[in-house]
Amino acid sequence: DHFFIEVERGTGIFTFLGTAFAVILAFVVLEAFQSFNDAKGGAEEEATTLVQLSRTTEFFPAAEHEPIEGVLICYGRAVINDEWPAMKDGQRSPVVQTWVVQVQNGLKQLHPETPQEEAAFLKLLDQQDKRTDARRTRLSEANRALPAPVWFFLGLGALTTVGFAFFFADRREHFIVQGSLIAAITALVVSGLLLVWFLDHPYENRSGSIKPDEMERGLVIIEAEHKNADPPCDEDGLPA
């Protein structure tokens, strides 16, 4: 009787620890998924706004808007080829920042004269702010990582959950039955930790990671609509 009481007590502890670990893991996964989704949304918003900037500048004379078009193309190329690989290590590209300054300087050179151009200029300023915010969101998610204490508690909870499964294995049951149960618990725990790690590293250039697909499509649109633009950069967005 004492043995069965101890087994029931151990089973209760195991159930409690497993439930607690599952709740903590679910909360961390939810937060990591929100961060991943914000990073993806920022990247998409940035690409969309870049196309909008390109189209709004068309309300100005060619001599004024074509230099800006070239700089926008260089910005997109640098984001794809220089900043995206750098974000894997939580870094940003100084080349992209160079083109940001060039875009701002280009907007300062615009001289709206007609009511239509004045409205377009105000729209450009608003779109520029949106592009800045979208890039900031994209970069902030590249620098965001789960704190070390969170990983410590997740690792401790995983080891405790799997360890109790081994400790309270019923030797009277067939080995295959017990092994399958422990393997299932271990697989769920490890899968949960891997999911958290994946969501916490959105720019790892792996299957399912966030890639500059939207920026690539936006760049194709800008280059197709402004074939006369002369980008002051090479194909990788580096200053020529």
Side-chain angles (χ1 to χ4, degrees):
D1 293 340
H2 179 70
F3 172 76
F4 287 108
I5 292 175
E6 291 297 325
V7 171
E8 291 179 358
R9 182 180 301 173
T11 303
I13 295 175
F14 172 72
T15 302
F16 171 77
L17 291 175
T19 302
F21 174 72
V23 171
I24 295 175
L25 181 62
F27 176 77
V28 173
V29 168
L30 181 62
E31 289 296 317
F33 179 78
Q34 182 63 47
S35 175
F36 184 91
N37 196 46
D38 289 343
K40 185 176 181 180
E44 293 174 351
E45 178 69 17
E46 181 184 26
T48 301
T49 307
L50 197 70
V51 176
Q52 293 173 347
L53 276 166
S54 173
R55 290 173 174 173
T56 307
T57 58
E58 295 177 358
F59 287 93
F60 293 87
E64 294 185 17
H65 79 76
E66 285 184 356
I68 300 177
E69 301 292 352
V71 175
L72 291 176
I73 292 174
C74 292
Y75 175 90
R77 291 177 179 177
V79 167
I80 295 169
N81 298 297
D82 194 60
E83 190 157 68
W84 219 270
M87 287 192 302
K88 180 179 179 181
D89 300 320
Q91 304 295 324
R92 66 177 61 200
S93 168
V95 178
V96 174
Q97 189 59 36
T98 298
W99 300 125
V100 169
V101 175
Q102 293 289 342
V103 171
Q104 293 173 344
N105 292 336
L107 294 180
K108 292 178 182 178
Q109 300 302 317
L110 296 177
H111 301 288
E113 298 178 354
T114 66
Q116 188 181 36
E117 290 179 350
E118 291 177 357
F121 185 74
L122 294 176
K123 190 65 175 180
L124 282 172
L125 296 180
D126 181 60
Q127 292 169 347
Q128 175 71 345
D129 290 339
K130 288 182 179 180
R131 184 210 54 76
T132 300
D133 292 339
R135 181 180 180 233
R136 184 183 297 114
T137 299
R138 172 171 59 78
L139 291 173
S140 66
E141 297 305 329
N143 294 321
R144 183 176 297 178
L146 287 178
V150 175
W151 281 112
F152 173 78
F153 282 113
L154 286 178
L156 181 63
L159 291 175
T160 302
T161 301
V162 176
F164 264 77
F166 275 101
F167 186 76
F168 286 100
D170 191 350
R171 294 177 176 82
R172 295 172 299 176
E173 293 286 347
H174 195 276
F175 172 77
I176 296 179
V177 176
Q178 291 295 316
S180 300
L181 178 61
I182 295 174
I185 294 174
T186 304
L188 288 174
V189 170
V190 173
S191 298
L193 294 179
L194 289 176
L195 178 60
V196 172
W197 185 90
F198 171 80
L199 293 174
D200 198 42
H201 298 79
Y203 304 112
E204 284 295 312
N205 195 25
R206 292 186 172 89
S207 177
S209 298
I210 302 175
K211 299 179 181 178
D213 297 334
E214 291 297 325
M215 184 61 74
E216 290 174 351
R217 284 191 282 267
L219 192 57
V220 169
I221 293 173
I222 295 175
E223 292 177 338
E225 293 180 350
H226 303 90
K227 297 180 180 180
N228 294 328
D230 185 20
C233 62
D234 59 17
E235 291 298 324
D236 293 330
L238 300 177

